[in-house]
Amino acid sequence: MKVALFVPCYIDLIYPEVAIATLELLEKYNVEVVVPLNQTCCGQPTANEGDQENSAKMEKIFAENFQDLDVDYIVGPAGSCVKQVKQHFDAIPQTDKVTAMRAKTIELVEFLVDVLKIKDFSSVSFPHTIAIHNSCSSIRGLGIASRSEWMEPRFNKTEQLLESIKDITIKHINRPDECCGFGGTFCVTDEAVSSKMGQDKVADYLHNGIEYVISPDMSCLMHQKGISDKQKTSLKFLHVAQVLNNGPF
């Protein structure tokens, strides 16, 4: 199988270790990975603000990087960015190439669970107590976990991947799928509400004795880590790819 690695701009700039872990993890499972080096932002921030003119500029660059690649999937380690491409990437003409590119874009957890069907990570050891944070985009947009506000059977694809790891303890916090308050530009336009939501999330982790918060979305963890660091807690935050790959940390 051959895939293109979609590295969201904030991961490239702030958390390159997540992109490295994703690449190494995919290659461990004999997936051939190509990385378009000219890729930039997918256009999500401007799209969230209704700025279609500037979204179109970024979408055009994204399409130029990915639409002509001979790959089976385009894999991204960020649910909100993948959701943007799959569901809201409409500021440019929807040519056959663009619609095909959007259709084969997939989030990393989805790819591991639904495409590669990997269930066993018992070769990895992570002797810590963790909580899982799936972003709102991942849960309600991509469906990688059940929604507590819906009467539906419980499932959590991120947990499916982590539960076979040796020595790991997964705890369910009181409100596991509540928004952390990041919300992209929301944390700028509604700073006070965003901060309080993040504080509530951090308090929930501390109440439940969590050591590490693990998520498929570093954007949410960036927000939560900022609040945690300001409060000088002992919480640590990692992308799921870093844990499954046993590094880099």
Side-chain angles (χ1 to χ4, degrees):
M1 187 174 293
K2 185 177 182 180
V3 308
L5 180 58
F6 163 26
V7 181
C9 54
Y10 74 94
I11 288 180
D12 180 44
L13 292 169
I14 307 171
Y15 303 108
E17 64 273 15
V18 173
I20 294 168
T22 302
L23 173 64
E24 292 180 350
L25 180 62
L26 292 171
E27 290 181 337
K28 284 180 181 177
Y29 289 92
N30 299 315
V31 176
E32 182 182 352
V33 183
V34 297
V35 184
L37 297 180
N38 293 322
Q39 60 181 296
T40 59
C41 180
C42 64
Q44 181 185 181
T46 49
N48 286 348
E49 293 300 301
D51 184 355
Q52 289 290 85
E53 180 181 351
N54 283 303
S55 292
K57 297 173 185 177
M58 286 180 274
E59 289 181 14
K60 179 176 181 291
I61 295 172
F62 186 93
E64 288 171 352
N65 274 272
F66 286 97
Q67 67 182 359
D68 293 318
L69 296 178
D70 182 19
V71 295
D72 300 294
Y73 293 93
I74 299 165
V75 179
S80 64
C81 298
V82 168
K83 174 175 169 281
Q84 165 66 21
V85 174
K86 292 189 73 68
Q87 299 181 14
H88 304 296
F89 196 90
D90 52 15
I92 59 174
Q94 299 299 294
T95 64
D96 289 345
K97 285 185 177 182
V98 168
T99 55
M101 175 195 72
R102 293 176 66 181
K104 61 185 177 183
T105 302
I106 188 169
E107 187 270 334
L108 177 64
V109 167
E110 287 186 293
F111 182 70
L112 295 172
V113 172
D114 298 335
V115 178
L116 296 186
K117 300 188 184 303
I118 301 171
K119 298 179 180 179
D120 184 11
F121 283 92
S122 58
S123 61
V124 177
S125 176
F126 197 73
H128 300 286
T129 299
I130 75 154
I132 295 169
H133 174 79
N134 291 309
S135 70
C136 298
S137 291
S138 293
I139 297 172
R140 291 153 186 109
L142 301 178
I144 73 168
S146 54
R147 299 152 291 188
S148 59
E149 69 272 19
W150 284 52
M151 300 297 290
E152 60 183 345
R154 185 188 179 279
F155 68 93
N156 188 327
K157 295 179 183 179
T158 310
E159 186 174 323
Q160 282 180 248
L161 295 173
L162 292 168
E163 61 189 0
S164 66
I165 290 176
K166 286 189 293 190
D167 306 314
I168 197 169
T169 300
I170 302 174
K171 292 190 72 173
H172 298 151
I173 61 174
N174 298 350
R175 299 172 72 90
D177 62 350
E178 184 173 77
C179 179
C180 70
F182 174 61
T185 52
F186 172 77
C187 71
V188 178
T189 59
D190 293 84
E191 179 184 351
V193 178
S194 172
S195 296
K196 184 61 171 70
M197 293 170 75
Q199 290 164 12
D200 289 347
K201 201 77 176 181
V202 168
D204 203 350
Y205 298 137
L206 296 174
H207 175 75
N208 284 278
I210 303 303
E211 296 176 76
Y212 281 84
V213 182
I214 309 301
S215 176
D217 276 89
M218 283 308 300
S219 54
C220 294
L221 294 191
M222 176 173 61
H223 175 64
Q224 295 174 53
K225 185 178 185 301
I227 290 169
S228 174
D229 287 353
K230 188 170 184 178
Q231 295 179 356
K232 296 181 169 55
T233 81
S234 60
L235 286 170
K236 298 179 177 65
F237 300 83
L238 288 174
H239 192 278
V240 64
Q242 294 172 276
V243 179
L244 296 175
N245 186 56
N246 211 16
F249 298 127

